Amino acid sequence: MDLITRENPARVAEIVGSVPVTDPAAVDAAVRRADDAFRGWSGLPVAERVAALRRGADTVAARLEELAPLLARESGKPLADSRGEIGFAVAFLRWVCDEAPAVLAATEVDDDAGRLVVRRKPYGVVGCVTPWNAPVILAMLKLGPALAAGNTAVLKPSPLAPLTITEVAAALPAVQVIHGGAETGRALAGHPLVRKVAFTGGDAAGREIAATAGAMITPAVLELGGNDPAVFLPDFALSDADYERLVMASFATAGQVCMAAKRLYVPRARTAEFTEAYLAAAERVLVVGDPLDPEVTMGPVISAAAAARIRALVADAAGGTATPLGRSAPGHDPASGYFVTPHLVTGLDDHAPLVAQEQFGPAVPLLAYDTEEEVLVRADAGELGLAASVWSADEERAFALAERLGAGFVFVNTHNRTGMSLRAPFGGVKRSGYGREYGREGLLEYVQSAVVHVPAAFRPGGPGMAPGAYPGGLHDEPPRSAGAVRPPP
């Protein structure tokens, strides 16, 4: 049996664990098991489904102190962040359980125009393909809403972080887990019994998943990358704590976050002041070392290839000045794993690869600007539009600029996970994907509207309609009354 063996990116000689590769025949079997389970699972009342999901959330919560070190060891995410991610995934699942009964409820209108019932129907089997940088929460964003809505699911996590999420998924009902690389993902996304695909990952993989699903006319939710700008208006007023939060907005998970602050736009007249405060904040909060060290706030990147790519981006920053950030934990050996020194890079133009590309690692450029209109154009440059942030002492001014930015989610006076909300739908525009996660919209991604309707003309005693008549004509329907909207019995 072929195995995926996962090393510890902080201590590459240490093998954390392994999972079996799922071949195409086994992918087919997993999808068919999920399809067989669909009728029974979807036939349960939503109250019973969410009760089962709550039990799953409780099981994961009870194992948090066991699972967090496993996540830290396989992904390089610091231990405190690993606890935070698993705890947030539990909180999100419980939120889904609280919200699903109302969001998924059918509605009925019975008035002078007729009787209309709109129900929320699940798709069937949902194929979920998830990445390594936040493997638990990014899987839960798909599994929670999909399962609550009555779908069953087949989950393919990244081979770079398959261990913790496999344990978490085992606590949930109606989920099959498969393992593998691109071939396994294609087999899942293109399976004829998969009725919806949910994917988070990079642009290239997203295009392939979308093409594979599209060939089967299978709808998809795609959350792809971003080159997310943070724009500081001339009146910004940041405390020491604000600067510390800003540093971690770029360097949490070693910068390997789709919505990290990846470009810092600062008014030219305030760049010296900003840089000094930013470097001081990084010295206070950015501690590089082994993720199991409780003092560490930044671990390694995920792989040797990622480390080489990011170092090359910094080395190729011609004309710029790269300043190392933060400090190493006592006794830290950078050669033990895939560690990359974090850098702030100044003096680049907008065409430098570190600016124009999503770096997805611990290096961030600081860019000076002169006018608000100029920074708006520069911040919106490129094909990606996932997230952004605007910082200002005047909230109305920040909101005014935020509404003009070409991003699906704009934070104000914060950035990255500190600006998230369970109720706020998240997703990209342009080439950063389509569909939404979180919020009511995230739940509704996993249902289709199914309608039962009788026009008033065809109810008992109704006048009927002439053959070939169009609805809504001047004389085809009786006058409408306000009617009543209620859930159907």
Side-chain angles (χ1 to χ4, degrees), residues 243-244 247-248 275-288 297 323-328 342:
Y243 275 106
E244 292 170 4
V247 168
M248 295 313 299
T275 302
E276 181 181 2
Y278 190 92
L279 295 176
E283 185 70 18
R284 293 192 298 272
V285 301
L286 202 53
V287 182
V288 180
T297 59
T323 303
L325 298 174
R327 50 198 164 88
S328 292

Side-chain angles (χ1 to χ4, degrees), residues 130-163:
T130 55
W132 48 264
N133 59 327
V136 178
I137 182 56
L138 291 176
M140 197 64 75
L141 289 176
K142 298 154 185 59
L143 295 176
L147 297 173
N151 303 279
T152 54
V154 180
L155 171 68
K156 191 206 84 67
S158 168
L160 293 175
L163 305 174

Side-chain angles (χ1 to χ4, degrees), residues 81-481:
D81 286 354
S82 296
R83 289 193 187 99
E85 179 182 335
I86 296 168
F88 185 53
V90 169
F92 174 76
L93 182 55
R94 288 171 173 163
W95 181 88
V96 166
C97 292
D98 290 341
E99 298 294 320
V103 172
L104 302 175
T107 58
E108 181 176 338
V109 178
D110 191 343
D111 60 15
D112 290 345
R115 184 179 177 190
L116 171 66
V117 176
V118 181
R119 298 188 184 277
R120 309 292 191 183
K121 297 279 192 176
Y123 282 87
V125 179
V126 176
C128 306
V129 181
T130 55
W132 48 264
N133 59 327
V136 178
I137 182 56
L138 291 176
M140 197 64 75
L141 289 176
K142 298 154 185 59
L143 295 176
L147 297 173
N151 303 279
T152 54
V154 180
L155 171 68
K156 191 206 84 67
S158 168
L160 293 175
L163 305 174
T164 311
I165 185 54
T166 298
E167 295 290 319
V168 169
L172 302 180
V175 179
Q176 305 287 320
V177 181
I178 61 176
H179 293 288
E183 180 184 16
T184 307
R186 283 193 297 269
L188 178 61
H191 197 287
L193 292 178
V194 168
R195 305 302 185 191
K196 184 142 193 179
V197 171
F199 172 82
T200 298
D203 175 75
R207 288 171 188 267
E208 186 170 355
I209 288 287
T212 302
M216 301 299 295
I217 321 180
T218 302
V221 177
L222 300 179
E223 198 267 89
L224 307 180
N227 192 11
D228 311 71
V231 177
F232 298 84
L233 292 177
D235 67 343
F236 75 85
L238 274 63
S239 65
D240 287 349
D242 292 329
Y243 275 106
E244 292 170 4
R245 185 159 33 89
L246 175 61
V247 168
M248 295 313 299
S250 291
F251 294 102
T253 317
Q256 303 166 118
V257 179
C258 60
M259 60 183 176
K262 299 187 179 79
R263 294 175 286 156
L264 310 179
Y265 289 95
V266 180
R268 193 175 306 278
R270 299 190 66 183
T271 55
E273 163 202 348
F274 182 97
T275 302
E276 181 181 2
Y278 190 92
L279 295 176
E283 185 70 18
R284 293 192 298 272
V285 301
L286 202 53
V287 182
V288 180
D290 191 297
L292 295 179
D293 182 337
E295 301 301 314
V296 163
T297 59
M298 193 189 106
V301 297
I302 195 65
S303 67
R309 179 184 58 80
I310 298 156
R311 291 188 188 113
L313 278 175
V314 175
D316 291 344
T321 300
T323 303
L325 298 174
R327 50 198 164 88
S328 292
H332 168 54
D333 177 12
S336 65
Y338 307 130
F339 291 94
V340 176
T341 301
H343 283 88
L344 179 70
V345 184
T346 56
L348 296 178
D349 65 37
D350 288 358
H351 301 293
L354 188 65
V355 178
Q357 301 174 12
E358 180 186 18
Q359 67 271 49
F360 215 70
V364 64
L366 188 157
L367 305 152
Y369 75 90
D370 295 304
T371 70
E372 191 170 313
E373 291 302 316
E374 169 206 340
V375 76
L376 180 65
V377 172
R378 292 171 64 192
D380 275 349
E383 293 193 328
L384 301 179
L386 185 59
S389 63
V390 180
W391 303 66
S392 172
D394 182 341
E395 185 175 291
E396 292 303 317
R397 185 178 181 184
F399 266 72
L401 181 64
E403 290 170 0
R404 300 174 65 196
L405 284 169
F409 197 111
V410 182
F411 308 98
V412 170
N413 289 330
T414 193
H415 199 122
N416 207 332
R417 65 188 182 215
T418 56
M420 300 297 291
S421 169
L422 295 176
R423 69 180 185 177
F426 182 87
V429 298
K430 301 192 286 188
R431 302 296 185 193
S432 287
Y434 45 79
R436 291 296 180 263
E437 296 182 319
Y438 295 99
R440 176 185 177 92
E441 290 83 351
L443 272 163
L444 293 177
E445 289 285 356
Y446 296 95
V447 289
Q448 303 174 89
S449 297
V451 170
V452 180
H453 179 232
V454 57
F458 302 109
R459 303 188 79 175
M465 292 174 66
Y470 284 92
L474 292 178
H475 305 293
D476 290 339
E477 292 185 2
R480 294 171 180 261
S481 68

